[in-house]
Amino acid sequence: MNLLILGGTQFVGRHVVEAALARGHAVSTFTRGNNPLPGTESLIGDRQAGDYRALEGRTWDAVIDVNAYVPRVVRQAATAIQTRHYTFISTISVYQASPEPGIHENSPLQTLENPDTEAITGETYGGLKVLCEQAAQELYPACLVVRPHIVVGPHDPTDRFTYWPRRFAQQDRVLVPGRPESAVQYIDARDQADFIVAAVEGSLTGVFNSAAPTTTWGDLVAACGGQDKAVWAEEGWLLEQSVTPWADLPLWIPTGSEGHGLLGVDSSRALAAGLRVRPLEQTVRELLAWDSARGAELKTGLSAEREQELLRAYASRSTA
């Protein structure tokens, strides 16, 4: 197949490109000229400015859009791109927050007070992605919408998952939120990419949550080899210490909080359609190998100094 990836040089798109090339497809990427990947045709333009001149007169068997965040750019792309199948990569942030697990493709979606806004914030991101989905479905009769959970794996620029394998690899004690049976959920970027490319090959349409089945913090700690290193801190105590969920301790959404249901996203539809999930231990092992080779500072999570302060304070509390 002749594929066009809108984006395709960073994280999610990069893995889609690699999966497509591995399956023998011809791949063009459309970017502002950043990081062209070997084996691809690099087409240069600017979606924000509406510059699609590099795509004029071209036709693709399928288009995979990984970098649209406002509906305007989806609509503009439709006037410039000729294709028979369009995939839009969305997010589970389209769902309304819920404390209960079991979120599925027909669960209530986010709405915006001002649907014309293009200001991308924590409050508008999900609602804008909803509008992007709707624009894509209106413009392309053959449309696939993929809603990823937190995406993890090599080349992840956020370090939200990488924080944990690195912490357990480098430290004797690691602060972990809640209890071993508490929920964790994610999707490996490579598993998602394989699913997307296979779905495009089969002209799959409709909406699919992209997530590994919910696992536990205990499983994550075990996959990191950290059973003897984990210090399980009560969630209430962490909140009292002004530890910020998701930011200071990545992947943590406190039990009973408004967004806790996002750790129980139902991906059975994608699994039935061909999504295959590699073992958590493999994801951790391969991610740690990539992380060790790059030698970069973590972009998120507690500093080592702050974590040690909290570990001392928690130990004092436990023995008081």
Side-chain angles (χ1 to χ4, degrees):
M1 297 178 68
N2 186 20
L3 304 180
L4 173 65
I5 316 294
L6 302 176
T9 61
Q10 299 299 320
F11 177 38
V12 170
R14 179 183 185 135
H15 285 292
V16 171
V17 167
E18 290 175 350
L21 291 174
R23 296 170 76 102
H25 300 299
V27 178
S28 303
T29 61
F30 181 67
T31 70
R32 287 175 294 181
N34 301 326
N35 305 320
L37 296 178
T40 66
E41 176 191 26
S42 178
L43 302 173
I44 298 174
D46 188 337
R47 300 188 75 181
Q48 193 60 33
D51 179 8
Y52 290 91
R53 287 172 294 178
L55 307 183
E56 291 177 358
R58 301 283 299 273
T59 299
W60 283 272
D61 296 317
V63 173
I64 301 172
D65 189 346
V66 302
N67 69 355
Y69 299 96
V70 297
R72 172 179 57 83
V73 301
V74 176
R75 296 190 188 97
Q76 288 178 337
T79 66
I81 297 171
Q82 301 299 317
T83 186
R84 59 180 177 80
H85 188 277
Y86 178 91
T87 297
F88 179 72
I89 310 302
S90 186
T91 170
I92 61 161
S93 294
V94 297
Y95 295 113
Q96 292 182 16
S98 169
E100 299 299 326
I103 292 173
H104 53 80
E105 285 83 357
N106 294 321
S107 293
L109 302 178
Q110 297 271 3
T111 59
L112 293 176
E113 291 185 7
N114 176 16
D116 295 323
T117 185
E118 291 196 358
I120 303 170
T121 68
E123 289 70 37
T124 65
Y125 172 67
L128 285 169
K129 280 288 194 175
V130 171
L131 296 178
C132 288
E133 289 184 5
Q134 293 171 350
Q137 291 167 321
E138 291 168 4
L139 293 165
Y140 296 95
C143 181
L144 169 67
V145 174
V146 176
R147 294 172 178 165
H149 211 288
I150 176 175
V151 186
V152 311
H155 307 293
D156 178 7
T158 71
D159 290 331
R160 293 175 296 184
F161 189 96
T162 309
Y163 174 91
W164 295 104
R166 184 190 288 195
R167 271 296 199 263
F168 281 107
Q170 294 182 343
Q171 298 185 177
D172 293 330
R173 294 188 305 155
V174 177
L175 189 69
V176 185
R179 301 186 301 272
E181 63 269 24
S182 298
V184 172
Q185 198 168 24
Y186 67 96
I187 183 65
D188 190 301
R190 296 160 298 177
D191 297 334
Q192 175 173 266
D194 289 341
F195 170 70
I196 290 169
V197 174
V200 169
E201 290 171 345
S203 299
L204 188 66
T205 60
V207 180
F208 295 83
N209 291 331
S210 176
T214 300
T215 187
T216 68
W217 277 98
D219 290 335
L220 175 58
V221 168
C224 294
Q227 299 94 319
D228 297 329
K229 298 181 177 183
V231 177
W232 297 95
E234 296 174 9
E235 293 181 310
W237 182 85
L238 290 169
L239 295 171
E240 289 172 0
Q241 306 306 306
S242 300
V243 176
T244 304
W246 201 261
D248 289 334
L249 291 178
L251 311 186
W252 174 43
I253 303 176
T255 304
S257 65
E258 188 179 40
H260 191 258
L262 288 177
L263 298 177
V265 171
D266 181 356
S267 59
S268 58
R269 191 163 188 239
L271 291 166
L275 174 64
R276 298 292 177 263
V277 177
R278 70 192 63 203
L280 176 56
E281 293 79 6
Q282 181 182 353
T283 292
V284 168
R285 181 176 65 253
E286 294 169 348
L287 178 57
L288 187 58
W290 166 78
D291 180 51
S292 299
R294 67 172 176 151
E297 292 186 3
L298 289 171
K299 300 182 183 67
T300 193
L302 294 169
S303 68
E305 294 77 15
R306 173 62 172 152
E307 183 178 18
Q308 291 305 313
E309 290 176 3
L310 290 165
L311 286 167
R312 288 192 293 270
Y314 197 69
S316 298
R317 171 191 180 278
S318 300
T319 57

